[in-house]
Amino acid sequence: MRIKRQQFEMVNLRGYNWKSQQLLLFLIIVAAWEAGSGQLHYSVPEEAKHGTFVGRIAQDLGLELTELVPRLFRVASKDRGDLLEVNLQNGILFVNSRIDREELCGRSAECSIHLEVIVDRPLQVFHVEVEVKDINDNPPMFPATQKALFILESRLLDSRFPLEGASDADVGSNALLTYRLSTNEHFSLDVPPNHEQVKPLGLVLRKPLDREEAAEIRLLLTATDGGKPELTGTVQLLITVLDVNDNAPVFDRSLYTVKLPENVPNGTLVIKVNASDLDEGVNGDVMYSFSSDVSSDIKSKFHMDTVSGEITVIGIIDFEESKAYKIPLEARDKGFPQLPGHCTILVEVVDANDNAPQLTVSSLSLPVSEDSQPGRVVTLISVFDRDSGANGQVTCSLTPHIPFKLVSTFKNYYSLVLDSALDRETIANYDVIVTARDGGSPSLWATASVSVEVADVNDNAPLFAQPEYTVFVKENNPPGAHIFTVSAMDADAQENALVSYSLVERRVGERLLSSYVSVHAESGKVFALQPLDHEELELLQFQVSARDAGVPALGSNVTLQVFVLDENDNAPTLLGPLANGVGGTMNEVVSRALVPGQVVAKVRAVDEDSGYNAWLSFELQPVAGGVRSPFRVGLYTGEISTTRALEETDALRQCLLVLVKDHGEPSLTATATVLLSLVDSGQTQKVSSKVSAGASRVDQRLVDVNVYLIIAICAVSSLLVLTLLLYTALRCSATPTDGACAPGKPMLVCSSAVGSWSYSQQRRQRVCSGEGPPKTDLMAFSPSLPQGPSSTDNQAPPNTDWRFSQAQRPGTSGSQNGDETGTWPNNQFDTEMLQAMILASASEAADGSSTLGGGAGTMGLSARYGPQFTLQHVPDYRQNVYIPGSNATLTNAAGKRDGKAPAGGNGNKKKSGKKEKK
């Protein structure tokens, strides 16, 4: 074992000689040797002056002097903390105040001061034991300065008279006493050997006494201890020589030994002594009593019966107070003068387990951070039991199922140490119960509770209830309207759980997202900063970020899909010649030879809205004067046809006012003026030839456009077929654990009220992507689904069997077969119809023979598939959605009413397919 090299400073104590200084140096060297192994051990003599060097404690503990102050170096003592002190400048342990060994430890053979050296940052605990060496600073002391003895002159030689010896508060050699008696011719001093210390001193009569020669004899008894230098104590012995009574009582034994359990009840018999006197009569009657030298403590605990000689308990017998009692007794006869006999009772107290352990908890590092590593010291715990032997042996334990353990550091000192990881979100506070139990029978125990608070760290990010929200907002909302509220929860506490919200900025077209919406940083409310336009933006998809206030901050995102719902804010717009004419006027030349039902003109219009708001109807305004016009207009086709054969009485110029209105609420309208010129058959051919010449040039341009349109349609059709094949192949080869390619939600189909078209909301097409969820933009059309009820606006269609009008079918207006109500064959709208549309367009572009009415002009594919043939003319029915600011009725997939959505709520939201405009 390597021995630490230390420097020592000699202590110069006044009154010490050179040999004592050498002895002190040797003791300090031994203390330094023991300090090199485990705990530090020093020694210091008692009564040392203030500032006396004890040891270089910082150097011996391996601490740098510069670390003492920053690391909060401090010394604590269980006994008296002001006796020793450490100089933080040089790390030296020195005497701070007077140390009195006798006051500190009494007559104990060993006396030490236990120090706890505590260093923070990081926490370390050291134990230092400083032994207090005894010096000869207490002289021997007799119970009294003078003692009177009465001795009969008739006492025989070698008679022994017991004396109370002196006591010395020191220990060891300093308490080894020697006695000497002043020179005289009658008495000598009888000193018992060291192993018979219980036997008292005594005077032995060496020469017969003669009261007539000397009635009183004065002697000086001196006690000298073994210290350096020697100290002495004296008592004056006054001996009175008595006459007459010549026999004193004699006890059976000079020393009685008794074992007495502690805590015995009052009245318990300790011992019964017996003394006999050879005299007769009153000179032989014995009375018992305590010696006059007995202490008051013995008198308060024991009672002596003067007649029977019984000693009983009258006080509390406590082993921890005194382990033994020495009781001097006297037996006196009733003669004159009275003669005494002496003996000693040694009462040994037997320990009982009557003291429970005592626990002392010193909190050092609370609260404990939840990211603390195992092994961190949380609290120091010390235990103490006043009993001895097995009754004073203490074991400690903790409450089970807690992440802490007890580690023994020094004798009865323990450290509460973190044993496993902590999680404040699971348990925020631990009530640790420390139980100390001794080894007695029955065992006694004590508990101490330590409340360990777990401090939070930012280890949980804010979480949204779901990763994506779908919101429906009506267009033309007021600026700053509240459209939704996002909310994220953080499992942490205080500032670590303080969540703030922000937009994840991106570009929407040519503009930034922040120009459309904003989010309140504290409440999570999402506001629309400007009116939204369904015709400009149908879907606004963006992310909102939630971040806490911890360091470092943690966050998560949620996706919002804002669908802008259409409102009837666009009036119908006239197309064709009506769009270019002044005031919406169209001129047509009509032959008088037309048969009834012949189509002579067609009014075309489109509405930029969608759904019911874009469903157009045509009405012919009555003419002035109540004259019945020979013409009529198709309710949904816009075709103007004759109702009867034209007569000579009919005006040559017919002015028709056609009112075009949508089915929105409120309805918006547009007015078209159609001027029909009635001519004979010959005049019609002339006019037609002029018109044909101008139309041929227009038709040539339309043919070029149709060619490009046919190419585009074929390319789109091929891409659609390829996508469907790829989709089918992926769906057949996928497994249930395909992650992002897994099957989507069940198909949700909303059927329109007209019963002829359906708009599929199957949004989970199986198209795999490396980043993000599956793409869901797939639309499907199916012919003639069962008819649904009225729309959410309670607006009924024109009749119960409504079909798409002839103007909304493929082909030139007037070239399709069908009745006025627009009945459409149920088995025609399929893939063959799509091919027929493409072939018909190609044929028409090749010959340019498509005619309108009586040959007013040639119309190409643009006329065949005009603006009315779009998805926006199909009534748009959403189901199970909440539209902010609306009291619309929620409908299910079959169009049945489910009730009203509460204002401000989300309802049962379902994703709707994206609307496409062609």
Side-chain angles (χ1 to χ4, degrees):
M1 180 182 296
R2 184 173 59 87
I3 302 176
K4 298 181 180 179
R5 301 180 60 186
Q6 303 183 2
Q7 297 179 357
F8 300 95
E9 294 181 12
M10 298 302 298
V11 179
N12 294 323
L13 298 177
R14 182 176 300 174
Y16 273 34
N17 55 22
W18 182 79
K19 290 184 178 180
S20 61
Q21 292 180 1
Q22 282 187 332
L23 178 60
L24 178 61
L25 179 59
F26 173 77
L27 294 176
I28 294 177
I29 292 175
V30 172
W33 178 282
E34 294 178 355
S37 59
Q39 304 296 330
L40 293 181
H41 183 89
Y42 298 105
S43 64
V44 63
E46 65 171 330
E47 304 295 338
K49 294 182 179 179
H50 174 76
T52 299
F53 171 87
V54 178
R56 298 185 182 277
I57 189 170
Q59 178 179 346
D60 295 340
L61 293 176
L63 302 176
E64 297 294 335
L65 296 180
T66 57
E67 297 178 348
L68 300 184
V69 175
R71 294 186 61 185
L72 301 180
F73 181 95
R74 60 188 185 275
V75 175
S77 173
K78 183 181 177 182
D79 303 314
R80 293 184 57 185
D82 58 345
L83 298 179
L84 300 173
E85 188 61 44
V86 176
N87 189 335
L88 297 181
Q89 302 298 323
N90 53 23
I92 292 177
L93 181 66
F94 63 93
V95 176
N96 185 45
S97 61
R98 175 179 174 270
I99 302 176
D100 188 352
R101 186 185 184 283
E102 288 71 31
E103 179 182 352
L104 189 63
C105 302
R107 297 187 56 83
S108 176
E110 296 179 359
C111 184
S112 298
I113 301 175
H114 297 281
L115 303 178
E116 289 181 10
V117 179
I118 302 172
V119 182
D120 291 339
R121 304 173 186 173
L123 178 64
Q124 290 180 286
V125 179
F126 304 93
H127 293 276
V128 179
E129 184 176 12
V130 179
E131 181 182 0
V132 180
K133 296 294 184 179
D134 181 51
I135 65 172
N136 193 23
D137 60 337
N138 292 282
M141 298 292 294
F142 287 92
T145 59
Q146 184 175 354
K147 182 175 179 60
L149 296 175
F150 298 90
I151 302 176
L152 290 174
E153 63 177 351
S154 61
R155 293 299 295 267
L156 301 176
L157 294 178
D158 298 328
S159 295
R160 195 174 186 276
F161 305 95
L163 297 175
E164 185 72 12
S167 62
D168 197 322
D170 297 323
V171 296
S173 61
N174 295 328
L176 295 178
L177 304 181
T178 59
Y179 298 89
R180 69 177 183 272
L181 189 64
S182 58
T183 305
N184 69 95
E185 58 181 357
H186 294 281
F187 295 95
S188 65
L189 188 63
D190 182 19
V191 180
N194 293 334
H195 63 277
E196 295 183 3
Q197 286 295 323
V198 176
K199 184 178 180 181
L201 294 173
L203 286 177
V204 179
L205 183 61
R206 300 301 182 185
K207 182 181 179 180
L209 297 175
D210 188 0
R211 181 181 177 277
E212 287 68 29
E213 291 181 0
E216 289 184 353
I217 300 174
R218 294 181 180 272
L219 302 176
L220 182 63
L221 178 60
T222 303
T224 305
D225 59 23
K228 301 294 183 179
E230 297 178 345
L231 299 179
T232 60
T234 60
V235 60
Q236 186 75 32
L237 300 179
L238 179 58
I239 300 174
T240 302
V241 180
L242 301 178
D243 200 10
V244 181
N245 198 4
D246 55 352
N247 288 293
V250 177
F251 285 94
D252 298 338
R253 287 181 290 174
S254 62
L255 177 63
Y256 296 87
T257 301
V258 179
K259 292 185 180 296
L260 181 67
E262 66 173 329
N263 302 322
V264 295
N266 290 342
T268 300
L269 176 64
V270 178
I271 193 175
K272 181 178 181 179
V273 296
N274 181 52
S276 61
D277 195 316
L278 298 177
D279 295 328
E280 294 181 355
V282 291
N283 292 331
D285 293 338
V286 179
M287 294 183 300
Y288 302 95
S289 65
F290 293 124
S291 296
S292 58
D293 300 336
V294 73
S295 64
S296 58
D297 180 53
I298 292 178
K299 292 180 179 180
S300 65
K301 296 182 183 298
F302 301 98
H303 171 70
M304 183 74 195
D305 191 306
T306 59
V307 176
S308 64
E310 293 181 349
I311 300 177
T312 55
V313 176
I314 61 172
I316 298 175
I317 306 300
D318 189 0
F319 176 83
E320 288 70 38
E321 179 181 344
S322 178
K323 297 177 176 57
Y325 295 94
K326 187 172 68 172
I327 307 174
L329 298 181
E330 277 189 357
R332 291 179 177 271
D333 57 26
K334 297 181 179 179
F336 184 84
Q338 295 180 347
L339 298 179
H342 301 85
C343 75
T344 302
I345 306 297
L346 180 60
V347 180
E348 297 179 357
V349 181
V350 180
D351 182 41
N353 192 25
D354 59 341
N355 291 282
Q358 299 176 5
L359 286 167
T360 303
V361 178
S362 303
S363 298
L364 295 179
S365 181
L366 294 174
V368 180
S369 178
E370 64 176 318
D371 61 350
S372 298
Q373 297 299 319
R376 174 176 175 177
V377 177
V378 178
T379 302
L380 294 181
I381 301 172
S382 62
V383 296
F384 175 71
D385 196 313
R386 296 182 60 194
D387 295 323
S388 62
N391 297 331
Q393 294 178 357
V394 181
T395 57
C396 292
S397 61
L398 290 177
T399 22
H401 311 299
I402 58 173
F404 301 96
K405 65 180 180 180
L406 282 177
V407 176
S408 178
T409 57
F410 179 76
K411 289 184 180 179
N412 291 330
Y413 290 88
Y414 296 87
S415 295
L416 183 64
V417 177
L418 182 62
D419 189 39
S420 60
L422 300 175
D423 185 10
R424 190 205 65 84
E425 288 69 39
T426 303
I427 300 178
N429 191 82
Y430 290 92
D431 290 327
V432 180
I433 306 299
V434 182
T435 303
R437 190 178 301 272
D438 61 27
S441 181
S443 178
L444 299 180
W445 54 274
T447 61
S449 177
V450 180
S451 181
V452 181
E453 180 184 356
V454 182
D456 182 54
V457 297
N458 192 25
D459 57 348
N460 290 279
L463 294 178
F464 292 93
Q466 57 190 73
E468 184 178 286
Y469 293 95
T470 301
V471 183
F472 295 94
V473 180
K474 284 189 176 182
E475 66 174 332
N476 302 320
N477 57 282
H482 172 230
I483 62 176
F484 194 68
T485 300
V486 296
S487 178
M489 301 299 295
D490 196 311
D492 293 322
Q494 297 178 355
E495 67 273 1
N496 293 331
L498 186 61
V499 180
S500 61
Y501 305 91
S502 62
L503 287 177
V504 178
E505 187 63 275
R506 69 177 185 89
R507 299 194 69 83
V508 180
E510 299 297 327
R511 301 169 60 182
L512 294 176
L513 174 65
S514 56
S515 64
Y516 287 95
V517 292
S518 68
V519 60
H520 193 271
E522 296 180 0
S523 65
K525 292 184 177 180
V526 181
F527 300 94
L529 299 180
Q530 62 182 12
L532 300 177
D533 189 358
H534 172 80
E535 289 71 36
E536 175 186 348
L537 185 66
E538 293 185 12
L539 172 63
L540 180 60
Q541 182 171 332
F542 58 92
Q543 288 186 328
V544 176
S545 176
R547 298 184 70 83
D548 55 32
V551 178
L554 301 178
S556 61
N557 295 342
V558 66
T559 301
L560 266 67
Q561 290 187 350
V562 180
F563 288 90
V564 182
L565 303 182
D566 182 56
E567 285 190 340
N568 193 27
D569 58 344
N570 291 283
T573 302
L574 300 175
L575 300 176
L578 294 173
N580 297 327
V582 179
T585 303
M586 180 175 64
N587 295 304
E588 295 290 343
V589 178
V590 179
S591 174
R592 288 182 178 269
L594 295 177
V595 297
Q598 180 77 40
V599 177
V600 299
K602 184 173 183 177
V603 178
R604 290 181 173 85
V606 70
D607 197 314
E608 293 184 0
D609 295 322
S610 62
Y612 245 72
N613 297 329
W615 181 24
L616 302 181
S617 62
F618 302 85
E619 296 179 5
L620 188 63
Q621 299 294 99
V623 298
V627 179
R628 183 173 180 270
S629 173
F631 300 96
R632 67 178 180 181
V633 62
L635 180 61
Y636 300 113
T637 63
E639 295 178 346
I640 300 176
S641 60
T642 58
T643 59
R644 59 180 173 81
L646 298 179
E647 300 175 354
E648 294 295 333
T649 58
D650 292 330
L652 297 177
R653 190 173 182 85
Q654 296 284 336
C655 180
L656 304 179
L657 295 179
V658 179
L659 181 66
V660 184
K661 66 177 181 178
D662 56 29
H663 286 71
E665 186 64 36
S667 177
L668 300 180
T669 62
T671 304
T673 303
V674 180
L675 300 177
L676 300 178
S677 299
L678 304 182
V679 297
D680 295 333
S681 299
Q683 295 177 350
T684 302
Q685 295 178 356
K686 296 179 182 179
V687 175
S688 300
S689 62
K690 296 180 182 180
V691 174
S692 299
S696 62
R697 294 188 295 273
V698 176
D699 186 61
Q700 182 62 36
R701 292 191 297 270
L702 293 176
V703 168
D704 297 336
V705 175
N706 290 340
V707 171
Y708 294 114
L709 184 57
I710 291 171
I711 295 173
I713 292 175
C714 292
V716 171
S717 301
S718 301
L719 182 59
L720 176 61
V721 172
L722 181 60
T723 302
L724 292 176
L725 291 176
L726 179 60
Y727 172 74
T728 304
L730 292 176
R731 188 172 183 85
C732 293
S733 61
T735 60
T737 58
D738 287 341
C741 298
K745 295 180 179 179
M747 181 177 68
L748 180 63
V749 178
C750 293
S751 177
S752 67
V754 300
S756 177
W757 297 81
S758 65
Y759 175 52
S760 172
Q761 291 187 343
Q762 183 177 354
R763 304 280 319 259
R764 299 295 178 187
Q765 180 179 354
R766 192 179 184 80
V767 179
C768 295
S769 175
E771 306 175 349
K775 304 301 181 180
T776 58
D777 300 331
L778 177 62
M779 290 186 176
F781 301 94
S782 60
S784 299
L785 290 177
Q787 180 179 347
S790 61
S791 69
T792 57
D793 297 332
N794 297 326
Q795 179 180 1
N799 53 60
T800 59
D801 190 20
W802 183 85
R803 299 292 185 267
F804 272 65
S805 66
Q806 186 175 0
Q808 294 170 325
R809 306 173 193 158
T812 309
S813 60
S815 65
Q816 303 292 337
N817 295 325
D819 56 13
E820 184 64 27
T821 61
T823 303
W824 187 261
N826 292 338
N827 59 352
Q828 297 297 320
F829 197 76
D830 54 10
T831 306
E832 295 178 359
M833 193 201 79
L834 179 61
Q835 296 174 354
M837 292 164 56
I838 298 174
L839 294 175
S841 176
S843 175
E844 184 182 30
D847 56 20
S849 61
S850 178
T851 60
L852 177 65
T858 301
M859 300 300 293
L861 188 60
S862 61
R864 187 181 297 269
Y865 308 107
Q868 290 180 336
F869 187 65
T870 63
L871 289 180
Q872 67 180 2
H873 293 78
V874 182
D876 189 9
Y877 296 99
R878 315 288 183 183
Q879 67 161 0
N880 295 341
V881 297
Y882 164 64
I883 304 174
S886 170
N887 291 324
T889 304
L890 302 180
T891 62
N892 57 19
K896 296 181 180 180
R897 181 171 302 175
D898 289 338
K900 298 289 184 175
N906 291 336
N908 296 325
K909 301 179 181 178
K910 299 290 183 181
K911 299 181 181 178
S912 65
K914 295 183 179 179
K915 298 180 182 179
E916 296 182 358
K917 291 187 178 181
K918 297 183 180 178

